[in-house]
């Protein structure tokens, strides 16, 4: 049971980590330094994790990866938006 | 068995995603736009995942999170190094 809590805290940290990145991007209107390839790999990997969670019927895996996936897509869209505005 | 392969591919994508970020940072010598809070949360979360993997004795979880943890620490160190050089 304690280990399940460790897993939940771990999932919360690795998922909510995207939020300060979004806040920073929206504030500075700059996301040039982040690697789009990193986020494309993340989106692909998190989609697989999500399907794995659906297969297992594990709500923690589903929720963490659905959130992480949405945040990653949003960061990538913001990056392209800000890059176009600077051209 | 097929789902184990999905899990391995997912882990490879979400872990190796840090590599293009490192390459981009080293090339441009700029990592200003990445959020340090994101990486601090990631380092904390991946450390918990690693301890969870050690507890389970699961080599995939251990390897993926040990690699992700090392890459995250490296990106954060690079960021501070480049920020100091620009001052």
């Amino acid at each position: 049971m304690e280990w399940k809590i460790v897993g939940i805290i771990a999932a919360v940290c690795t998922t909510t980590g995207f939020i300060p990145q979004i806040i920073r991007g929206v504030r500075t209107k700059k996301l040039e330094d982040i690697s789009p390839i990193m986020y494309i790999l993340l989106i692909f990997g998190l989609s697989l994790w999500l399907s794995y969670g659906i297969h297992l019927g594990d709500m923690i895996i589903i929720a963490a990866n659905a959130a992480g996936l949405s945040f990653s897509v949003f960061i990538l869209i913001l990056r392209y938006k800000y890059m176009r505005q600077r051209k």
Side-chain angles (χ1 to χ4, degrees), chain A:
Chain A
M1 188 54 199
E2 296 85 16
W3 281 104
K4 195 171 180 180
I5 296 166
V6 171
I8 293 170
I9 299 172
V12 168
C13 290
T14 49
T15 303
T16 56
F18 293 111
I19 298 172
Q21 181 66 73
I22 292 172
I23 295 172
R24 186 181 179 89
V26 170
R27 270 200 195 141
T28 62
K29 304 247 180 288
K30 258 181 94 263
L31 283 169
E32 193 183 331
D33 299 341
I34 69 155
S35 161
I37 304 167
M38 171 175 169
Y39 280 84
I40 289 163
L41 279 167
L42 271 180
I43 288 164
F44 185 67
L46 291 171
S47 303
L48 291 180
W49 277 124
L50 180 60
S51 65
Y52 188 60
I54 292 167
H55 166 72
L56 293 177
D58 185 312
M59 276 313 294
I60 298 172
I61 300 180
I62 293 172
N65 289 292
L69 186 59
S70 314
F71 292 148
S72 300
V73 171
F74 189 61
I75 289 171
L76 205 55
I77 292 170
L78 275 185
R79 185 179 189 276
Y80 279 101
K81 189 186 156 203
Y82 296 146
M83 292 293 276
R84 277 185 61 179
Q85 285 175 352
R86 289 185 169 253
K87 266 180 193 158

